Amino acid sequence: MTTRVPPPATTVSAGSAVPTASTAATVSGDADAAPAGTGTDTSVRVRGLVRAFGAHRVIDGLDLDIRPGEFVALLGHSGCGKSTLLRILAGLDRDIEGTVTVPRRRAVAFQAPRLLPWKKVWRNVVLGLPGRADRALAERYLDEVGLSQRASVWPKTLSGGEAQRVSLARALVRQPDLLLLDEPFGALDALTRVNAQRLVGELWVRHNCGVLLVTHDVEEAVLLADRVLVMRDGGIDHEAVVDLPRPRDIGSPEFVALRTGLLARLGVGATEPAGA
């Protein structure tokens, strides 16, 4: 595994100009150096984040740290602000209060693959990169997701799982220090979802990038993440450290206990723990 020295971070604060996002859903930071106080032990640093829509504060005073190379999963009920937070970290929403410091190299994969139907698969992978479209580069990353043989086909010929793997290749070709995943497996059938989860885990280890996964699936969160956060009332309500060996056994007592505790935090299947 190759270790890359991360480039400078970028800081977004209230009133910052909104950058132009590429069609491939990646946004570059606009700072020339890491801000003072940002150490190498922190890849993402969020302090006092507020995002309001009218009078409604979807995110209200949120603090968050993600270490370089750490895999963090974010759970919460629909409408709690999970996807809003992800969009802010991606640089797609800057109408905020507070401070957000993130790596310059970020990439996003959404639930919908968002492939351009009039471009071949390989061209979708390198879409938005500077310079001439590099087929060899695209094929290298398609090979990582098991789709090198599909480089020349049209997106409409892909299955749902294949299209999502192309989306992952398009994110990874940018060599991100932070990979943002917004329910990327939500539209997949159960078997395809299991294979996609395993693939993401392998790619994370190979690329050594930080990951924030937004999901509704508690089992998926415990299966993949180093830490699982539960979002409620515009902030982080609970944190669970997943200190289990990989690959993880979903039937082990430790795994089941973590999953059950998180479900309880979400008000599913048990009485919520005291002091929540």
Side-chain angles (χ1 to χ4, degrees):
M1 180 173 62
T2 302
T3 301
R4 291 181 289 107
V5 177
T10 180
T11 300
V12 181
S13 55
S16 296
V18 180
T20 300
S22 71
T23 310
T26 62
V27 183
S28 296
D30 52 6
D32 293 325
T38 302
T40 57
D41 61 336
T42 304
S43 175
V44 173
R45 183 179 175 86
V46 179
R47 291 294 181 269
L49 178 62
V50 176
R51 177 61 169 106
F53 295 89
H56 177 49
R57 290 191 170 196
V58 175
I59 298 176
D60 190 7
L62 183 141
D63 294 337
L64 172 67
D65 290 311
I66 299 176
R67 297 185 300 274
E70 184 181 24
F71 198 126
V72 175
L74 185 62
L75 296 169
H77 293 289
S78 295
C80 74
K82 301 186 305 296
S83 292
T84 299
L85 174 60
L86 182 139
R87 288 178 58 82
I88 290 169
L89 295 181
L92 301 175
D93 183 350
R94 296 199 176 192
D95 189 7
I96 64 170
E97 298 175 27
T99 303
V100 178
T101 303
V102 291
R104 290 178 62 90
R105 284 199 297 253
R106 290 156 285 164
V108 188
F110 295 100
Q111 181 173 342
R114 303 187 180 187
L115 305 181
L116 299 185
W118 57 88
K119 288 185 177 291
K120 296 288 183 72
V121 162
W122 76 266
R123 289 189 178 276
N124 269 278
V125 171
V126 294
L127 187 67
L129 291 181
R132 186 176 180 179
D134 186 339
R135 178 164 182 158
L137 179 65
E139 289 182 344
R140 186 193 318 162
Y141 282 86
L142 284 169
D143 185 59
E144 285 202 36
V145 299
L147 287 178
S148 57
Q149 76 284 2
R150 305 288 275 161
S152 296
V153 305
W154 299 105
K156 68 179 181 180
T157 67
L158 301 174
S159 68
E162 287 175 332
Q164 196 56 266
R165 281 188 277 162
V166 173
S167 177
L168 285 170
R170 183 178 57 191
L172 291 171
V173 77
R174 285 147 177 86
Q175 299 185 325
D177 295 300
L178 177 64
L179 178 60
L180 300 161
L181 304 176
D182 194 2
E183 300 192 64
F185 318 125
L188 303 180
D189 64 79
L191 181 58
T192 304
R193 186 179 183 119
V194 169
N195 290 330
Q197 289 168 346
R198 182 167 53 247
L199 175 63
V200 165
E202 293 170 354
L203 292 170
W204 166 64
V205 171
R206 188 179 307 156
H207 288 271
N208 194 33
C209 59
V211 177
L212 179 67
L213 168 67
V214 169
T215 180
H216 282 98
D217 188 329
V218 173
E219 184 170 290
E220 177 175 279
V222 179
L223 183 68
L224 291 172
D226 297 314
R227 278 191 300 144
V228 181
L229 308 178
V230 177
M231 194 168 175
R232 176 184 293 177
D233 297 330
I236 303 301
D237 178 68
H238 178 69
E239 172 184 315
V241 176
V242 187
D243 188 18
L244 299 177
R246 300 174 185 270
R248 289 171 178 162
D249 177 4
I250 63 174
S252 74
E254 296 83 4
F255 190 102
V256 172
L258 276 169
R259 180 181 60 200
T260 301
L262 287 165
L263 286 169
R265 286 279 172 180
L266 294 165
V268 178
T271 302
E272 191 164 318

